Amino acid sequence: MVSVNFRQAVVTDQLSITDLHVRVSREAYAGLLPQDYLANVMPGEKAKLWQRRLTPSIDPERLVITLAEVHSGLAGFACFALDEETDFGTYLHNLYVDRSFQGKRLGPRLLIESISRFSEERWAEPVHLLTIRENYTARGFYDRLNGHIVEQKQNVMSRYPDVAFVRYQWPSARAMASNASSLGIRLGEEDGR
């Protein structure tokens, strides 16, 4: 198995996170979001997002951003926004893994590493996320993590009101981490690792 270093993001990670976010989004959302948005609008949006999140420093009361590095390159990241959409619990805003590392237990490991950084009180709170309804690859992963669909939404992206989203929720961060741990073991057995 490839050696992975997990660490918290710092300000100087802005460009590598933005690059991975844009690259994986273009692959994952091809055919689901307009090509013009993916090619011309999204890169600027993501650059502003990560500049806002990482400058001047990361507030651990607002964000838990965990990176997975392989050979000093970014292989994936997870970002939990602790103060957004709190009616549903802690918000997993981003989970992105480079295509070359997908299917190698990196997603579950990123979730576990991120949740391990939560305060003890937050371990008992629900966790939720939004994903595009037709993003069946992501939805298959969240289904295997035993997430439950609790809501369907439209108009999340004001420019593209016809794009439908589903919200997944877990009863607690502890439950999500436990499910991720079990999924990682099962995937490892399937991969022969």
Side-chain angles (χ1 to χ4, degrees):
M1 180 168 25
V2 175
S3 177
V4 180
N5 177 49
F6 293 96
R7 66 174 178 85
Q8 293 182 350
V10 295
V11 173
T12 55
D13 294 315
Q14 180 183 336
L15 291 177
S16 61
I17 293 172
T18 301
D19 176 64
L20 181 66
H21 195 163
V22 169
R23 196 166 18 91
V24 174
S25 292
R26 284 180 173 158
E27 295 167 358
Y29 303 136
L32 301 178
L33 293 175
Q35 181 58 34
D36 179 61
Y37 170 76
L38 294 173
N40 302 312
V41 178
M42 183 192 56
E45 286 181 352
K46 300 311 176 200
K48 287 178 186 172
L49 170 72
W50 290 107
Q51 181 178 21
R52 186 174 66 249
R53 283 183 175 169
L54 297 173
T55 305
S57 64
I58 300 165
D59 180 353
E61 299 298 316
R62 292 186 48 248
L63 295 168
V64 172
I65 305 170
T66 305
L67 306 184
E69 294 179 315
V70 176
H71 306 297
S72 299
L74 186 61
F77 69 91
C79 176
F80 284 87
L82 307 180
D83 62 351
E84 290 182 34
E85 298 193 36
T86 56
D87 291 347
F88 294 94
T90 302
Y91 185 34
L92 173 57
H93 193 258
N94 308 104
L95 178 62
Y96 285 83
V97 175
D98 184 272
R99 179 179 294 278
S100 61
F101 295 98
Q102 292 176 8
K104 296 183 177 164
R105 301 182 288 172
L106 199 54
R109 291 175 66 196
L110 273 163
L111 294 174
I112 294 164
E113 290 288 333
S114 296
I115 292 169
S116 74
R117 292 173 164 83
F118 287 10
S119 67
E120 191 172 320
E121 302 81 40
R122 192 166 293 277
W123 273 73
E125 294 180 18
V127 174
H128 69 102
L129 60 87
L130 283 171
T131 191
I132 295 175
R133 185 179 62 203
E134 284 76 23
N135 186 351
Y136 298 113
T137 301
R139 289 186 60 190
F141 176 70
Y142 300 133
D143 289 340
R144 289 189 304 279
L145 281 173
N146 297 320
H148 300 283
I149 295 175
V150 295
E151 179 181 43
Q152 294 199 35
K153 292 181 77 158
Q154 297 222 198
N155 297 329
V156 172
M157 299 177 71
S158 57
R159 277 185 206 152
Y160 307 107
D162 295 332
V163 178
F165 288 77
V166 293
R167 184 182 309 276
Y168 278 84
Q169 188 178 50
W170 288 260
S172 68
R174 182 174 284 108
M176 178 185 250
S178 176
N179 295 342
S181 180
S182 296
L183 181 60
I185 291 167
R186 285 199 305 271
L187 283 174
E189 291 168 353
E190 290 168 10
D191 291 345
R193 298 184 202 279

